[in-house]
């Protein structure tokens, strides 16, 4: 086996996978997305959170079943390729890499804005270089650092919840769930809040580095999503009870404003530090996910094959990680992409739409992981093993198969609705980027012929 075709080392257990999922989700999104969501939905913010959580649950369930069957680097890129065909896998991978690369730069700039506002770009570049170096040293180092980051962020968020709910400024009347922003506002808020939930895909994307993936991934994804939902709901309720929907929508730093309104301004610097640490955690996990999807696409020739190399000592896709780090460094140094939440959400929703469509082809019996041998995720060789158990149940007319298709159907519909409920600029730009990717795929196929 050549170095470029080598597989990654399986070192992550359930706890490590859950922590990486938490580090991906409980990040800067909760510090940044509440304000725009409140502006869109008004008093319907909590309804928007519930809709986002429902779609995220469907996506997570579909991803977990597929990841157990195809435990390879690349996530939905692999699932779409194996279940729907090469083009759909490519489109999923393209939307993920492009959207999440912009998100990487946004998270890096968020770190800079909180740590040293006057030198935000310089701090952002330093953060990208440092975290790329951590990832280069091996997945276990990344998992260890993510544990520290998650612990710090959870402590900060817990202090915000306790301070807000325990203050005299907290009023239950501000939690009115009437949708003052209308149904469209609630759906737009859900699409924006989905940005904060989307990190559970990182567990599936790292499928080639998970021990016993058929058992570990289906456990880790719902655990990480459930913990995140509880944390987000508690923070949203606490902040809303102090600020109300209108003030929350106007707040540039919602959690900072909430602790000040609660009468504890001394906690504001701690919240700022927590936001910076959370952004670091998001950036760390994003670089991991984008580099693994880049690895999978390079193995199939959609990106330069040199990027498929695996380091012989650290067993990481070192060239893919270096390339992703270099691109994000350039973006963080030159472009302000902090308004990229909507664009990123559109790309991620397109990515999960492919995941749900892929899961639709599975029967209830085919998600057990028996249809594909662990570790066979490189290139085209994986397709042969995926046709045994998986395809044998995809046309099943049994009742259990019909029930198994409800979740991906709801997830697919939800992804489509939320994607097109986003701000018009995000929809136009996102659709344009997907179109560019599709044209590039077509040109490559014509040249290959």
């Amino acid at each position: 086996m050549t170095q470029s075709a080598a597989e990654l080392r399986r070192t992550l257990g359930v706890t490590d996978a859950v922590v990486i999922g938490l580090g991906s989700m409980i990040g800067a999104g909760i510090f940044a997305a509440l304000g725009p969501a409140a502006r869109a939905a008004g008093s319907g913010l909590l309804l928007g959170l519930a809709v986002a959580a429902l779609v995220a649950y469907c996506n997570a369930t579909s991803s977990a079943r597929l990841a157990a069957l195809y435990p390879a680097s690349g996530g939905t890129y692999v699932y779409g390729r194996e279940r729907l065909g090469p083009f759909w896998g490519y489109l999923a991978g393209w939307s993920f890499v492009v959207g999440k690369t912009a998100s990487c730069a946004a998270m890096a700039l968020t770190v800079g804005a909180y740590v040293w506002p006057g030198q935000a770009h310089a701090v952002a570049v330093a953060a990208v270089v440092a975290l790329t170096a951590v990832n280069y040293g091996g997945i276990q180092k990344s998992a260890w650092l993510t544990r520290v980051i998650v612990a710090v962020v959870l402590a900060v968020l817990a202090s915000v919840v306790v301070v807000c709910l325990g203050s005299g400024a907290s009023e239950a009347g501000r939690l009115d769930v009437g949708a003052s922003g209308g149904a469209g506002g609630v759906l737009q808020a859900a699409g924006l809040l989905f940005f904060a939930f989307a990190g559970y895909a990182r567990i599936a994307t790292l499928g080639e580095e998970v021990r016993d993936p058929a058992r570990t991934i289906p456990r880790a994804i719902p655990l990480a999503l459930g913990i995140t939902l509880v944390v987000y709901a508690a923070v949203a309720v606490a902040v809303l009870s102090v600020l109300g929907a209108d003030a929350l929508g106007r707040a540039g730093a919602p959690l900072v404003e909430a602790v000040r309104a609660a009468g504890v301004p001394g906690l504001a610097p701690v919240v700022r530090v927590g936001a910076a640490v959370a952004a670091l955690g998001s950036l760390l996990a994003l670089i991991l996910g984008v580099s693994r999807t880049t690895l999978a696409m390079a193995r199939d020739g959609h990106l330069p094959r040199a990027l498929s190399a695996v380091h012989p000592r650290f067993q990481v896709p070192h060239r893919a990680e270096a390339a992703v780090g270099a691109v994000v460094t350039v973006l963080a140094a030159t472009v302000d992409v902090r308004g990229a939440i909507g664009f990123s959400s559109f790309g991620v929703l397109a990515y999960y739409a492919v995941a749900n469509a892929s899961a639709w082809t599975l029967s209830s019996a085919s998600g057990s992981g028996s249809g594909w041998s662990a570790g066979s995720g490189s290139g085209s060789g994986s397709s042969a093993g995926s046709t045994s158990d998986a395809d044998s149940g995809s046309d099943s007319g049994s009742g259990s198969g019909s029930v198994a298709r409800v979740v991906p159907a709801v997830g697919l519909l939800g992804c489509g609705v939320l994607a097109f409920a986003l701000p018009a600029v995000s929809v136009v730009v996102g659709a344009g980027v997907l179109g560019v990717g599709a044209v590039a795929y077509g040109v490559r196929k014509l040249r290959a012929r």
Side-chain angles (χ1 to χ4, degrees), residues 163-222:
V163 164
C164 290
L165 293 181
S167 71
S170 177
E171 295 182 10
R174 296 192 176 108
L175 302 178
D176 177 21
V177 295
S180 61
V186 170
L187 291 176
Q188 187 174 118
L192 294 169
L193 289 169
F194 186 83
F195 170 82
F197 278 110
Y200 53 81
R202 217 71 67 247
I203 301 171
T205 304
L206 300 173
E208 197 171 321
E209 293 160 275
V210 174
R211 296 193 305 267
D212 191 8
R215 174 179 175 273
T216 298
I217 295 176
R219 290 187 177 188
I221 288 179

Side-chain angles (χ1 to χ4, degrees), residues 362-405:
L362 301 175
S363 72
S364 60
S366 63
S368 62
S370 58
W372 203 69
S373 59
S376 60
S378 60
S380 61
S382 61
S383 59
S386 67
T387 60
S388 56
D389 292 346
D391 287 341
S392 66
S394 60
D395 296 325
S396 170
S398 65
S400 59
S402 299
V403 172
R405 287 182 167 183

